[in-house]
Amino acid sequence: MAERSPGIIQKAKNLIGATAKHIANRMEIATSATQEGRWIECFECEKFSKVPLTCKECGCGLVKKISWASSECPLNKW
């Protein structure tokens, strides 16, 4: 059976929480080196979805999540 991502309501909750944390962190952007390391971890992860670029664990869009300094991997990989 195919692995399922979180439902739309959980995705919305995750996005709201991540956005609030990002704003509270003065919308700081992660360094290029940090972002590169995060991408490497995500690309190697079994929860990575290429289309669209999302995490199957939390449902977050990785383009933004990886760039926000305050973001955390739901699997504690970064």
Side-chain angles (χ1 to χ4, degrees):
M1 190 158 106
E3 186 174 349
R4 297 186 58 167
S5 291
I8 190 76
I9 292 173
Q10 187 60 52
K11 286 180 184 180
K13 287 179 181 178
N14 293 345
L15 176 61
I16 290 166
T19 302
K21 191 173 181 181
H22 179 57
I23 291 168
N25 195 43
R26 297 190 171 114
M27 299 172 65
E28 184 178 341
I29 300 299
T31 65
S32 295
T34 296
Q35 290 183 47
E36 184 177 337
R38 289 175 175 182
W39 275 117
I40 290 168
E41 287 291 330
C42 288
F43 283 145
E44 294 174 351
C45 183
E46 68 281 354
K47 299 288 186 170
F48 175 72
S49 176
K50 291 180 184 176
V51 181
L53 293 172
T54 58
C55 173
K56 293 178 187 175
E57 183 71 18
C58 64
C60 290
L62 293 174
V63 173
K64 292 290 181 196
K65 184 168 187 149
I66 283 174
S67 70
W68 293 352
S70 60
S71 292
E72 298 171 344
C73 171
L75 300 172
N76 297 315
K77 293 188 176 191
W78 46 265

